[in-house]
Each structure stands twice: as structure tokens, then as C-alpha cells.
Amino acid sequence: MDSDSGKRMTFAQKTLIALEMLSVLRAALLPTVFAIFRQPSLLLHGRQLQQRIMASIWTGGMGDGVNENNKQVRARLITPNATGIVLDEKTKISKYIAIEPNLDMHPFIIAAAEKSGIPFEILAIGINELDPYLRVDTVVCVLTLCSVGNVEKAAHTIYNALKPGGVLVAFEHVKSKLKEVEWWQRFWEPIWGLLFDSCKLTVDSLDVLQRLEWIKAEVSIMEGDIQTNLFVHEHGVFQKPKK
């Protein structure tokens, strides 16, 4: 434990994640079983099965819950900053481009995008497969970088996609600065990743982003987050040099 924290994790903070995983697993069980019944080959393709489980969890209520819980953060961070052609968000924009390699998530994204009435496009790729010539005004990463294979590469890909003067808005759960919490994050990470499409609990995403060249880089810990919890969130607004 870090000497300056003065606090240790409670038993509940160490273990409640297990109950959360059991809860979402129950929600995803029947849809996943039906999917396997319709497509038995899923059992031979672990990655596709993992994506189907994640889609079942997300569309089974977790997605709406996450969006509702983060509504204020989105309004405070995204609404004033997202403009023009936007990668992965839908406020004050002329076009919305979503990146989602999990095809089972596309109906959920399409339904949400159609409600906005804004022209949209979905790219069925990972962020590190993005067209190097694509340029956008704004990139929004909300609970995204925890699931990419190479965060350093993803950060540079995002930076390259921004036009000069473009803005990146990020909101991510990150690796704890407290050693005890980090140990428990690493303990639960393999199981968590199986359920949540390779999501990792120990990604220093905002730290990685801060190392790039920005004319503005404002990073904060989410207000109200308890530092001895397994999930600590950071948010940031970054602006690329105009030339």
C-alpha cells in the first residue's frame, strides 16, 4: 500500500466485483445459450463467443445503466467540447463515426445513433486498424481504451486522426495509484476480461495520452470516486497543436 494513502481496502471493496460478475453472467447466460444453439460453431471460436457474451451483458441492461450513471460526466465533458466530425460520440456534430469491432454491438449503436438524427457510420474495426488518412475534429473515448490491445499505439492512432487543433475527450477507468488496489485489480483482471471483451483493470490510459504533444491537457480524477475502490476513473480534455 502507498505510504501516503493512510487507508486500506475493506473486504467488500476487494470482493464485491465477484458478485457483480455473477450478476451480469446470469443476465447473459440465456441469450448466450440461445446464440450457441443457433450457431454451434461459436464454441470453436472463443473470440466470437466472448464478443457475444459482452453484447448480451451490455444490451441486457448494463449499457443503459452505465450511460445513465455517466450522464453528468458526458454532459460536462463532451457537450462543450465535441464538434464537427466526431469519432465515437453524437453531440453538436455534423457526422458521427463509431468504431466497434464487435458486430454484436452494432444494433445497439445503430439504435442510439438513429435517435440523435445525426448522420453516422460504424466501422467494424479496432482503433489500431483505423485508416491513417482519416481526419476528424473530435475523438471521444468513453470506457474504451481499457479494451484495446496496445494502448500506446491506440493513443498515437487517435492523435494522428485528429485534425490540427482537434480535441480528444476521454473518460476511462484506470490502474490505481495505490499498490494494494492495483494488486486486487490484477487479481480479478483475467476473469473480468473474459466477461467484458478483454477489458483490463490496469490500463494507464490517461497517463499514456498525457505523454503526447498537446497545447491543452486537463486531466482529473472523477469527482466522488473513492481511491480504495477497484474502479477509479479519470477524465481529460486534450487539444492538438493547431499547426
Side-chain angles (χ1 to χ4, degrees), residues 17-32 53 56-58 60-62 192 195-196:
I17 189 174
L19 295 179
E20 294 173 11
M21 288 189 288
L22 285 173
S23 176
V24 298
L25 186 58
R26 283 198 297 268
L29 183 59
L30 281 178
T32 302
I53 292 171
S56 297
I57 291 171
W58 192 257
M62 183 177 181
W192 181 266
L195 289 177
F196 291 95

Side-chain angles (χ1 to χ4, degrees), residues 7 13 69-70 72-73 76 171 220-235:
K7 295 182 180 179
Q13 288 174 320
N69 291 339
N70 296 327
Q72 291 185 354
V73 174
R76 187 170 66 251
F171 172 66
S220 303
I221 296 173
M222 182 177 175
E223 184 178 352
D225 265 12
I226 298 172
Q227 297 307 296
T228 48
N229 281 348
L230 280 174
F231 290 93
V232 177
H233 300 82
E234 292 181 347
H235 52 76

Side-chain angles (χ1 to χ4, degrees), residues 136-208:
V136 298
D137 300 284
T138 310
V139 175
V140 176
C141 292
V142 176
L143 304 178
T144 300
L145 296 175
C146 52
S147 299
V148 302
N150 186 327
V151 179
E152 294 275 357
K153 182 179 179 182
H156 284 89
T157 300
I158 291 168
Y159 189 87
N160 182 67
L162 283 170
K163 296 177 181 178
V167 172
L168 163 65
V169 181
F171 172 66
E172 301 284 344
H173 65 78
V174 297
K175 184 177 75 174
S176 175
K177 302 295 191 295
L178 304 181
K179 296 300 182 184
E180 181 187 23
V181 180
E182 181 190 345
W183 190 94
W184 283 99
Q185 286 178 326
R186 293 192 183 281
F187 176 82
W188 291 113
E189 189 170 71
I191 306 173
W192 181 266
L194 285 175
L195 289 177
F196 291 95
D197 202 8
S198 301
C199 173
K200 297 180 177 61
L201 304 179
T202 56
V203 178
D204 284 324
S205 50
L206 274 291
D207 289 349
V208 171

Side-chain angles (χ1 to χ4, degrees), residues 24-25 28-58 101-105 191-198:
V24 298
L25 186 58
L29 183 59
L30 281 178
T32 302
V33 169
F34 288 146
I36 293 172
F37 181 78
R38 292 192 301 268
Q39 187 181 349
S41 62
L42 282 172
L43 293 173
L44 302 176
H45 299 89
R47 179 62 176 155
Q48 290 182 23
L49 180 59
Q50 189 179 38
Q51 290 180 332
R52 183 63 58 88
I53 292 171
M54 175 61 189
S56 297
I57 291 171
W58 192 257
N102 186 347
L103 296 178
D104 293 312
M105 293 288 287
I191 306 173
W192 181 266
L194 285 175
L195 289 177
F196 291 95
D197 202 8
S198 301

